[in-house]
Amino acid sequence: MTFTDREREQADHYDEFHAARAASPLVSRLYAQAMGDAYPDEVAPSSSCDWTLLGTLVGRLHLRPGQVLADVGCGTGGAGLWLARALNVHLVGIDVSATAVRLAIERQDDFVAPDRARFHVGSLETTGLPDAHVHGLVCIDAFFNASDRIAALKEFRRVLVPGARAVITRILPDRVRHAIGSQAHAAGLTVEHIDHRPGEPELWRRVYRLWIAHEDDLRRELGPEQAANMLAEAHRMLPRLDRRRAVVVTLQCLAPTSSAAFPLGSPPDPEEGERPG
């Protein structure tokens, strides 16, 4: 896999991120405290993936047993593995971080048989999957990592079989909410559903406040660099949460058509959805 300079920077960042969190249960405990009963303990997410989101994903994917699900930006694999077991499907997980992929492989036996899941390194714009290979795709709190969102969506369309769906969490300010439809159309996808997540900003407010309240513990257990990154994120994002609008977008793959109709290349829209945590 050949990465761009930006993707290599992301890989290095997330390698350190996942290695630090794997060495300490503290961050997972703080997520569990912030989510309360909505925390899917087995998934152990470092994202906004709660029980409500898992239910939305199950309902929107329309997968049948034995089909193939892709989890793009899978992190340590918990959400994709949970979905693979719940839906009785095969999973392929892709993440830019080799450390995340290794941790996901270590977890898969807790969810599904070895032949039901595989993980490899890749990016949102270059998944490494064959054409028309998957019957469903999820991308949870990772889409902001795409340097070109239309290129990422076109990659999703390429790997989906016709009629299949991609379900993506996104954060969109009001002023660019129209971009969902235009970006999807440019990539050869159609918007099937937009589900709003009104409780997502308040979830992050609780998470960030817990990080700040446990600053000393974070520095001790994760080290000064990772703790500083988390605290900087918390202080940067907390003032933005009042205008944060979280959605789950379900996109359906259209029938194959000429690639000339869907040109690659787009300036990034001003999405505010950097993955908290």
Side-chain angles (χ1 to χ4, degrees):
M1 176 65 63
T2 301
F3 282 156
T4 65
D5 289 344
R6 186 173 187 270
E7 288 168 341
R8 281 194 293 271
E9 290 177 2
Q10 290 175 350
D12 290 343
H13 167 77
Y14 284 114
D15 281 345
E16 295 174 359
F17 169 96
H18 289 295
R21 295 197 179 186
S24 168
L26 173 61
V27 178
S28 292
R29 291 202 303 268
L30 296 180
Y31 273 99
Q33 184 176 341
M35 290 188 185
D37 290 343
Y39 182 72
D41 185 74
E42 194 176 15
V43 172
S46 291
S47 68
S48 64
C49 183
D50 57 11
W51 282 118
T52 300
L53 177 60
L54 288 170
T56 299
L57 296 173
V58 167
R60 295 303 187 201
L61 284 166
H62 295 275
L63 287 173
R64 297 193 299 274
Q67 292 186 324
V68 180
L69 169 69
D71 184 358
V72 183
C74 66
T76 59
L81 287 165
W82 186 94
L83 289 166
R85 185 181 61 194
L87 296 170
N88 193 22
V89 297
H90 296 269
L91 173 70
V92 54
I94 300 103
D95 200 272
V96 73
S97 165
T99 298
V101 167
R102 174 180 59 79
L103 293 169
I105 292 170
E106 291 175 0
R107 300 179 70 187
Q108 70 182 56
D109 288 348
D110 294 334
F111 291 86
V112 295
D115 62 348
R116 289 264 306 279
R118 57 189 174 91
F119 296 89
H120 67 254
V121 172
S123 70
L124 276 72
E125 289 131 301
T126 310
T127 63
L129 296 175
D131 293 350
H133 182 67
V134 303
H135 305 91
L137 182 152
V138 295
C139 182
I140 302 171
D141 291 2
F143 193 70
F144 77 96
N145 278 318
S147 59
D148 184 323
R149 294 187 176 93
I150 292 178
L153 291 174
K154 188 168 184 179
E155 175 71 355
F156 294 176
R157 180 186 66 85
R158 182 186 68 78
V159 305
L160 288 166
V161 302
R165 295 165 176 85
V167 188
I168 306 168
T169 61
R170 295 193 66 174
I171 306 300
L172 293 178
D174 290 336
R175 66 183 179 278
V176 295
R177 196 164 299 176
H178 68 277
I180 295 177
S182 61
Q183 289 174 359
H185 177 75
L189 299 163
T190 185
V191 177
E192 187 173 53
H193 296 285
I194 297 178
D195 294 291
H196 294 267
R197 305 179 67 196
E200 195 259 15
E202 188 56 36
L203 162 63
W204 285 118
R205 197 183 313 276
R206 294 193 297 271
V207 169
Y208 289 142
R209 287 175 173 168
L210 284 168
W211 288 1
I212 292 170
H214 289 80
E215 176 177 351
D216 291 343
D217 296 329
L218 290 170
R219 292 187 186 280
R220 182 173 57 255
E221 294 202 21
L222 276 70
E225 182 177 350
Q226 286 300 313
N229 289 342
M230 293 173 65
L231 293 165
E233 179 184 315
H235 288 294
R236 181 177 69 251
M237 295 298 294
L238 272 170
R240 304 181 185 182
L241 293 177
D242 286 340
R243 64 179 185 274
R244 185 179 179 91
R245 299 292 181 268
V247 295
V248 182
V249 183
T250 302
L251 304 172
Q252 190 168 27
C253 179
L254 303 176
T257 187
S258 170
S259 61
F262 308 112
L264 283 174
S266 66
D269 61 58
E271 184 171 326
E272 294 184 352
E274 55 190 297
R275 174 165 59 184

